[in-house]
Amino acid sequence: MLVAALTPSARAQSTDLAHAVAAYRDADFPGARAAFESVLRESTTLDRTTAAEAHRYLAAIGLVLGEPAVAERHARAAVALAPRTSPVRGAPAEAEPMFRRAREALAGDPLRLSITPRPAGRGIELRMRPNVAALDVLLVLRCDDGARQHETRGPPPTITLDLDTARSGAACTARAVNPAGAALLRARFHRDPSARPATERSSSPWPWIVGLGGAGVAAAVGIVLAVVLAEGDEAAAPHFRQTVVVGWR
């Protein structure tokens, strides 16, 4: 049997989460709330699965403390992070319909980051979808145009970076990080200006968006948008790994 060794930071996160769960089970709901919120804010190794678990408990605590609006926000965050998640054991009866409403509101829309070039190559836009209010994250976008690195950061749902990608191209990375800097979501983007087709110089700056002629479109324009969600437990938080053509639905 192989036993994976945890790093000190991972062990600390596991211990902090265990303490929060213990406080909840001891019916110390204010103490449990503070402990779960601390995990979400202060863990430098916070991952998608742990964040979903913390929000599950915070949803139950919100109901116990008579704060249904707060509970609803945490339920939606838990479902966004782990679409098949359910209320914690022993949660008030209202938790089940609350999580069902959260799933209906998100309509199976996976939490993700998307990076897209703005019209005529005048900048890069980073967007987090869906925008879930209870997720305390900051968006960070960093691009290299071949000459130097550019970076911007800001709150969800959207931030932009002023960069002439039409002329220089760009290689970009994006993250959605908690206040301690742990990344819950990541995305990458690469644009090679040498692959631009002649039609891109027509009156419409992005004519290929309209046609959507299939997977070959991405290769034709040299734009690949890879959306990679943070790792988590497969049962609670499925992996979504895909290559997306900008504008494709």
PDB file of all heavy atoms in Angstrom, residues 88-115:
ATOM      1  N   VAL A  88     -24.370  19.042   3.906  1.00  0.00           N
ATOM      2  CA  VAL A  88     -23.658  18.216   4.884  1.00  0.00           C
ATOM      3  C   VAL A  88     -24.656  17.423   5.714  1.00  0.00           C
ATOM      4  O   VAL A  88     -25.822  17.819   5.871  1.00  0.00           O
ATOM      5  CB  VAL A  88     -22.775  19.083   5.810  1.00  0.00           C
ATOM      6  CG1 VAL A  88     -21.696  19.782   5.017  1.00  0.00           C
ATOM      7  CG2 VAL A  88     -23.614  20.086   6.584  1.00  0.00           C
ATOM      8  N   ARG A  89     -24.206  16.303   6.225  1.00  0.00           N
ATOM      9  CA  ARG A  89     -25.071  15.458   7.048  1.00  0.00           C
ATOM     10  C   ARG A  89     -25.494  16.214   8.303  1.00  0.00           C
ATOM     11  O   ARG A  89     -24.694  16.876   8.950  1.00  0.00           O
ATOM     12  CB  ARG A  89     -24.333  14.178   7.441  1.00  0.00           C
ATOM     13  CG  ARG A  89     -25.156  13.204   8.254  1.00  0.00           C
ATOM     14  CD  ARG A  89     -24.388  11.939   8.524  1.00  0.00           C
ATOM     15  NE  ARG A  89     -24.022  11.252   7.294  1.00  0.00           N
ATOM     16  CZ  ARG A  89     -23.309  10.118   7.258  1.00  0.00           C
ATOM     17  NH1 ARG A  89     -22.883   9.577   8.389  1.00  0.00           N
ATOM     18  NH2 ARG A  89     -23.036   9.559   6.097  1.00  0.00           N
ATOM     19  N   GLY A  90     -26.776  16.133   8.612  1.00  0.00           N
ATOM     20  CA  GLY A  90     -27.292  16.805   9.793  1.00  0.00           C
ATOM     21  C   GLY A  90     -27.685  18.253   9.572  1.00  0.00           C
ATOM     22  O   GLY A  90     -28.091  18.939  10.516  1.00  0.00           O
ATOM     23  N   ALA A  91     -27.579  18.742   8.334  1.00  0.00           N
ATOM     24  CA  ALA A  91     -27.980  20.126   8.045  1.00  0.00           C
ATOM     25  C   ALA A  91     -29.497  20.258   8.195  1.00  0.00           C
ATOM     26  O   ALA A  91     -30.233  19.271   8.076  1.00  0.00           O
ATOM     27  CB  ALA A  91     -27.560  20.504   6.639  1.00  0.00           C
ATOM     28  N   PRO A  92     -29.992  21.462   8.473  1.00  0.00           N
ATOM     29  CA  PRO A  92     -31.441  21.657   8.563  1.00  0.00           C
ATOM     30  C   PRO A  92     -32.154  21.205   7.290  1.00  0.00           C
ATOM     31  O   PRO A  92     -31.556  21.161   6.201  1.00  0.00           O
ATOM     32  CB  PRO A  92     -31.574  23.173   8.755  1.00  0.00           C
ATOM     33  CG  PRO A  92     -30.290  23.578   9.403  1.00  0.00           C
ATOM     34  CD  PRO A  92     -29.236  22.685   8.792  1.00  0.00           C
ATOM     35  N   ALA A  93     -33.423  20.871   7.430  1.00  0.00           N
ATOM     36  CA  ALA A  93     -34.200  20.329   6.300  1.00  0.00           C
ATOM     37  C   ALA A  93     -34.240  21.291   5.118  1.00  0.00           C
ATOM     38  O   ALA A  93     -34.345  20.856   3.967  1.00  0.00           O
ATOM     39  CB  ALA A  93     -35.615  20.006   6.767  1.00  0.00           C
ATOM     40  N   GLU A  94     -34.141  22.582   5.385  1.00  0.00           N
ATOM     41  CA  GLU A  94     -34.198  23.559   4.294  1.00  0.00           C
ATOM     42  C   GLU A  94     -32.990  23.483   3.372  1.00  0.00           C
ATOM     43  O   GLU A  94     -32.990  24.062   2.279  1.00  0.00           O
ATOM     44  CB  GLU A  94     -34.277  24.989   4.854  1.00  0.00           C
ATOM     45  CG  GLU A  94     -35.404  25.225   5.840  1.00  0.00           C
ATOM     46  CD  GLU A  94     -34.907  25.115   7.265  1.00  0.00           C
ATOM     47  OE1 GLU A  94     -34.421  24.022   7.633  1.00  0.00           O
ATOM     48  OE2 GLU A  94     -34.986  26.115   8.005  1.00  0.00           O
ATOM     49  N   ALA A  95     -31.952  22.765   3.805  1.00  0.00           N
ATOM     50  CA  ALA A  95     -30.721  22.736   3.018  1.00  0.00           C
ATOM     51  C   ALA A  95     -30.912  22.024   1.681  1.00  0.00           C
ATOM     52  O   ALA A  95     -30.360  22.460   0.664  1.00  0.00           O
ATOM     53  CB  ALA A  95     -29.604  22.055   3.808  1.00  0.00           C
ATOM     54  N   GLU A  96     -31.679  20.950   1.649  1.00  0.00           N
ATOM     55  CA  GLU A  96     -31.841  20.186   0.416  1.00  0.00           C
ATOM     56  C   GLU A  96     -32.484  21.017  -0.695  1.00  0.00           C
ATOM     57  O   GLU A  96     -31.933  21.107  -1.804  1.00  0.00           O
ATOM     58  CB  GLU A  96     -32.637  18.915   0.671  1.00  0.00           C
ATOM     59  CG  GLU A  96     -32.659  17.953  -0.507  1.00  0.00           C
ATOM     60  CD  GLU A  96     -31.266  17.508  -0.922  1.00  0.00           C
ATOM     61  OE1 GLU A  96     -30.493  17.084  -0.044  1.00  0.00           O
ATOM     62  OE2 GLU A  96     -30.957  17.620  -2.131  1.00  0.00           O
ATOM     63  N   PRO A  97     -33.651  21.647  -0.453  1.00  0.00           N
ATOM     64  CA  PRO A  97     -34.200  22.497  -1.519  1.00  0.00           C
ATOM     65  C   PRO A  97     -33.304  23.691  -1.845  1.00  0.00           C
ATOM     66  O   PRO A  97     -33.287  24.167  -2.975  1.00  0.00           O
ATOM     67  CB  PRO A  97     -35.553  22.936  -0.963  1.00  0.00           C
ATOM     68  CG  PRO A  97     -35.493  22.704   0.495  1.00  0.00           C
ATOM     69  CD  PRO A  97     -34.565  21.543   0.694  1.00  0.00           C
ATOM     70  N   MET A  98     -32.544  24.164  -0.870  1.00  0.00           N
ATOM     71  CA  MET A  98     -31.640  25.290  -1.120  1.00  0.00           C
ATOM     72  C   MET A  98     -30.549  24.883  -2.107  1.00  0.00           C
ATOM     73  O   MET A  98     -30.234  25.628  -3.053  1.00  0.00           O
ATOM     74  CB  MET A  98     -31.016  25.757   0.200  1.00  0.00           C
ATOM     75  CG  MET A  98     -30.086  26.944   0.063  1.00  0.00           C
ATOM     76  SD  MET A  98     -29.459  27.495   1.680  1.00  0.00           S
ATOM     77  CE  MET A  98     -28.382  26.114   2.106  1.00  0.00           C
ATOM     78  N   PHE A  99     -29.966  23.702  -1.936  1.00  0.00           N
ATOM     79  CA  PHE A  99     -28.948  23.230  -2.868  1.00  0.00           C
ATOM     80  C   PHE A  99     -29.562  22.930  -4.235  1.00  0.00           C
ATOM     81  O   PHE A  99     -28.918  23.142  -5.267  1.00  0.00           O
ATOM     82  CB  PHE A  99     -28.248  21.989  -2.305  1.00  0.00           C
ATOM     83  CG  PHE A  99     -27.065  22.320  -1.433  1.00  0.00           C
ATOM     84  CD1 PHE A  99     -27.233  22.925  -0.194  1.00  0.00           C
ATOM     85  CD2 PHE A  99     -25.776  22.052  -1.859  1.00  0.00           C
ATOM     86  CE1 PHE A  99     -26.145  23.242   0.610  1.00  0.00           C
ATOM     87  CE2 PHE A  99     -24.675  22.363  -1.068  1.00  0.00           C
ATOM     88  CZ  PHE A  99     -24.865  22.967   0.179  1.00  0.00           C
ATOM     89  N   ARG A 100     -30.803  22.467  -4.237  1.00  0.00           N
ATOM     90  CA  ARG A 100     -31.471  22.221  -5.519  1.00  0.00           C
ATOM     91  C   ARG A 100     -31.662  23.529  -6.279  1.00  0.00           C
ATOM     92  O   ARG A 100     -31.433  23.599  -7.489  1.00  0.00           O
ATOM     93  CB  ARG A 100     -32.818  21.537  -5.295  1.00  0.00           C
ATOM     94  CG  ARG A 100     -33.527  21.158  -6.600  1.00  0.00           C
ATOM     95  CD  ARG A 100     -34.741  20.279  -6.362  1.00  0.00           C
ATOM     96  NE  ARG A 100     -35.748  20.932  -5.530  1.00  0.00           N
ATOM     97  CZ  ARG A 100     -36.029  20.574  -4.278  1.00  0.00           C
ATOM     98  NH1 ARG A 100     -35.379  19.571  -3.702  1.00  0.00           N
ATOM     99  NH2 ARG A 100     -36.953  21.214  -3.583  1.00  0.00           N
ATOM    100  N   ARG A 101     -32.028  24.581  -5.566  1.00  0.00           N
ATOM    101  CA  ARG A 101     -32.176  25.893  -6.215  1.00  0.00           C
ATOM    102  C   ARG A 101     -30.836  26.385  -6.762  1.00  0.00           C
ATOM    103  O   ARG A 101     -30.774  26.999  -7.827  1.00  0.00           O
ATOM    104  CB  ARG A 101     -32.745  26.916  -5.224  1.00  0.00           C
ATOM    105  CG  ARG A 101     -34.212  26.721  -4.881  1.00  0.00           C
ATOM    106  CD  ARG A 101     -34.772  27.922  -4.141  1.00  0.00           C
ATOM    107  NE  ARG A 101     -34.121  28.164  -2.867  1.00  0.00           N
ATOM    108  CZ  ARG A 101     -34.487  27.615  -1.710  1.00  0.00           C
ATOM    109  NH1 ARG A 101     -35.499  26.728  -1.694  1.00  0.00           N
ATOM    110  NH2 ARG A 101     -33.864  27.905  -0.584  1.00  0.00           N
ATOM    111  N   ALA A 102     -29.781  26.110  -6.012  1.00  0.00           N
ATOM    112  CA  ALA A 102     -28.453  26.525  -6.473  1.00  0.00           C
ATOM    113  C   ALA A 102     -28.089  25.809  -7.768  1.00  0.00           C
ATOM    114  O   ALA A 102     -27.567  26.431  -8.706  1.00  0.00           O
ATOM    115  CB  ALA A 102     -27.412  26.234  -5.396  1.00  0.00           C
ATOM    116  N   ARG A 103     -28.379  24.515  -7.845  1.00  0.00           N
ATOM    117  CA  ARG A 103     -28.078  23.772  -9.080  1.00  0.00           C
ATOM    118  C   ARG A 103     -28.910  24.289 -10.246  1.00  0.00           C
ATOM    119  O   ARG A 103     -28.427  24.399 -11.376  1.00  0.00           O
ATOM    120  CB  ARG A 103     -28.322  22.276  -8.860  1.00  0.00           C
ATOM    121  CG  ARG A 103     -27.221  21.593  -8.056  1.00  0.00           C
ATOM    122  CD  ARG A 103     -27.390  20.092  -8.048  1.00  0.00           C
ATOM    123  NE  ARG A 103     -28.518  19.676  -7.235  1.00  0.00           N
ATOM    124  CZ  ARG A 103     -28.441  19.393  -5.933  1.00  0.00           C
ATOM    125  NH1 ARG A 103     -27.285  19.495  -5.300  1.00  0.00           N
ATOM    126  NH2 ARG A 103     -29.508  19.003  -5.268  1.00  0.00           N
ATOM    127  N   GLU A 104     -30.171  24.619  -9.965  1.00  0.00           N
ATOM    128  CA  GLU A 104     -31.034  25.144 -11.025  1.00  0.00           C
ATOM    129  C   GLU A 104     -30.548  26.514 -11.490  1.00  0.00           C
ATOM    130  O   GLU A 104     -30.573  26.827 -12.683  1.00  0.00           O
ATOM    131  CB  GLU A 104     -32.472  25.226 -10.526  1.00  0.00           C
ATOM    132  CG  GLU A 104     -33.121  23.854 -10.309  1.00  0.00           C
ATOM    133  CD  GLU A 104     -34.458  23.952  -9.594  1.00  0.00           C
ATOM    134  OE1 GLU A 104     -34.808  25.076  -9.134  1.00  0.00           O
ATOM    135  OE2 GLU A 104     -35.150  22.926  -9.481  1.00  0.00           O
ATOM    136  N   ALA A 105     -30.102  27.334 -10.552  1.00  0.00           N
ATOM    137  CA  ALA A 105     -29.630  28.682 -10.907  1.00  0.00           C
ATOM    138  C   ALA A 105     -28.378  28.620 -11.770  1.00  0.00           C
ATOM    139  O   ALA A 105     -28.212  29.412 -12.705  1.00  0.00           O
ATOM    140  CB  ALA A 105     -29.351  29.482  -9.636  1.00  0.00           C
ATOM    141  N   LEU A 106     -27.503  27.664 -11.475  1.00  0.00           N
ATOM    142  CA  LEU A 106     -26.274  27.540 -12.255  1.00  0.00           C
ATOM    143  C   LEU A 106     -26.490  26.764 -13.544  1.00  0.00           C
ATOM    144  O   LEU A 106     -25.687  26.852 -14.473  1.00  0.00           O
ATOM    145  CB  LEU A 106     -25.192  26.857 -11.410  1.00  0.00           C
ATOM    146  CG  LEU A 106     -24.715  27.683 -10.212  1.00  0.00           C
ATOM    147  CD1 LEU A 106     -23.817  26.855  -9.319  1.00  0.00           C
ATOM    148  CD2 LEU A 106     -23.993  28.939 -10.666  1.00  0.00           C
ATOM    149  N   ALA A 107     -27.570  26.000 -13.608  1.00  0.00           N
ATOM    150  CA  ALA A 107     -27.975  25.291 -14.830  1.00  0.00           C
ATOM    151  C   ALA A 107     -26.840  24.464 -15.426  1.00  0.00           C
ATOM    152  O   ALA A 107     -26.630  24.432 -16.640  1.00  0.00           O
ATOM    153  CB  ALA A 107     -28.509  26.287 -15.859  1.00  0.00           C
ATOM    154  N   GLY A 108     -26.079  23.813 -14.576  1.00  0.00           N
ATOM    155  CA  GLY A 108     -24.993  22.970 -15.063  1.00  0.00           C
ATOM    156  C   GLY A 108     -23.826  23.740 -15.650  1.00  0.00           C
ATOM    157  O   GLY A 108     -22.971  23.165 -16.321  1.00  0.00           O
ATOM    158  N   ASP A 109     -23.780  25.046 -15.420  1.00  0.00           N
ATOM    159  CA  ASP A 109     -22.718  25.884 -15.971  1.00  0.00           C
ATOM    160  C   ASP A 109     -21.471  25.745 -15.099  1.00  0.00           C
ATOM    161  O   ASP A 109     -21.458  26.214 -13.959  1.00  0.00           O
ATOM    162  CB  ASP A 109     -23.193  27.330 -15.996  1.00  0.00           C
ATOM    163  CG  ASP A 109     -22.312  28.231 -16.848  1.00  0.00           C
ATOM    164  OD1 ASP A 109     -21.582  27.692 -17.689  1.00  0.00           O
ATOM    165  OD2 ASP A 109     -22.376  29.458 -16.668  1.00  0.00           O
ATOM    166  N   PRO A 110     -20.398  25.103 -15.575  1.00  0.00           N
ATOM    167  CA  PRO A 110     -19.229  24.878 -14.717  1.00  0.00           C
ATOM    168  C   PRO A 110     -18.474  26.171 -14.441  1.00  0.00           C
ATOM    169  O   PRO A 110     -18.356  27.038 -15.305  1.00  0.00           O
ATOM    170  CB  PRO A 110     -18.368  23.910 -15.534  1.00  0.00           C
ATOM    171  CG  PRO A 110     -18.747  24.182 -16.951  1.00  0.00           C
ATOM    172  CD  PRO A 110     -20.215  24.526 -16.917  1.00  0.00           C
ATOM    173  N   LEU A 111     -17.983  26.287 -13.234  1.00  0.00           N
ATOM    174  CA  LEU A 111     -17.175  27.445 -12.872  1.00  0.00           C
ATOM    175  C   LEU A 111     -15.869  27.401 -13.658  1.00  0.00           C
ATOM    176  O   LEU A 111     -15.172  26.389 -13.671  1.00  0.00           O
ATOM    177  CB  LEU A 111     -16.891  27.411 -11.370  1.00  0.00           C
ATOM    178  CG  LEU A 111     -16.150  28.611 -10.781  1.00  0.00           C
ATOM    179  CD1 LEU A 111     -17.012  29.871 -10.884  1.00  0.00           C
ATOM    180  CD2 LEU A 111     -15.781  28.337  -9.328  1.00  0.00           C
ATOM    181  N   ARG A 112     -15.523  28.500 -14.309  1.00  0.00           N
ATOM    182  CA  ARG A 112     -14.353  28.502 -15.180  1.00  0.00           C
ATOM    183  C   ARG A 112     -13.847  29.924 -15.410  1.00  0.00           C
ATOM    184  O   ARG A 112     -14.557  30.899 -15.172  1.00  0.00           O
ATOM    185  CB  ARG A 112     -14.690  27.882 -16.538  1.00  0.00           C
ATOM    186  CG  ARG A 112     -15.707  28.684 -17.341  1.00  0.00           C
ATOM    187  CD  ARG A 112     -16.405  27.839 -18.385  1.00  0.00           C
ATOM    188  NE  ARG A 112     -17.328  28.601 -19.192  1.00  0.00           N
ATOM    189  CZ  ARG A 112     -18.548  28.945 -18.814  1.00  0.00           C
ATOM    190  NH1 ARG A 112     -18.997  28.609 -17.616  1.00  0.00           N
ATOM    191  NH2 ARG A 112     -19.341  29.625 -19.609  1.00  0.00           N
ATOM    192  N   LEU A 113     -12.631  29.997 -15.906  1.00  0.00           N
ATOM    193  CA  LEU A 113     -12.056  31.245 -16.392  1.00  0.00           C
ATOM    194  C   LEU A 113     -11.974  31.172 -17.910  1.00  0.00           C
ATOM    195  O   LEU A 113     -11.672  30.123 -18.473  1.00  0.00           O
ATOM    196  CB  LEU A 113     -10.646  31.450 -15.831  1.00  0.00           C
ATOM    197  CG  LEU A 113     -10.492  31.589 -14.325  1.00  0.00           C
ATOM    198  CD1 LEU A 113      -9.010  31.709 -13.979  1.00  0.00           C
ATOM    199  CD2 LEU A 113     -11.264  32.787 -13.797  1.00  0.00           C
ATOM    200  N   SER A 114     -12.232  32.291 -18.573  1.00  0.00           N
ATOM    201  CA  SER A 114     -12.056  32.348 -20.024  1.00  0.00           C
ATOM    202  C   SER A 114     -11.266  33.596 -20.378  1.00  0.00           C
ATOM    203  O   SER A 114     -11.497  34.667 -19.829  1.00  0.00           O
ATOM    204  CB  SER A 114     -13.417  32.354 -20.742  1.00  0.00           C
ATOM    205  OG  SER A 114     -14.193  33.466 -20.360  1.00  0.00           O
ATOM    206  N   ILE A 115     -10.302  33.424 -21.288  1.00  0.00           N
ATOM    207  CA  ILE A 115      -9.458  34.524 -21.753  1.00  0.00           C
ATOM    208  C   ILE A 115      -9.771  34.759 -23.220  1.00  0.00           C
ATOM    209  O   ILE A 115      -9.705  33.831 -24.029  1.00  0.00           O
ATOM    210  CB  ILE A 115      -7.964  34.197 -21.598  1.00  0.00           C
ATOM    211  CG1 ILE A 115      -7.664  33.683 -20.195  1.00  0.00           C
ATOM    212  CG2 ILE A 115      -7.116  35.416 -21.932  1.00  0.00           C
ATOM    213  CD1 ILE A 115      -6.239  33.193 -20.030  1.00  0.00           C
TER     214      ILE A 115
END
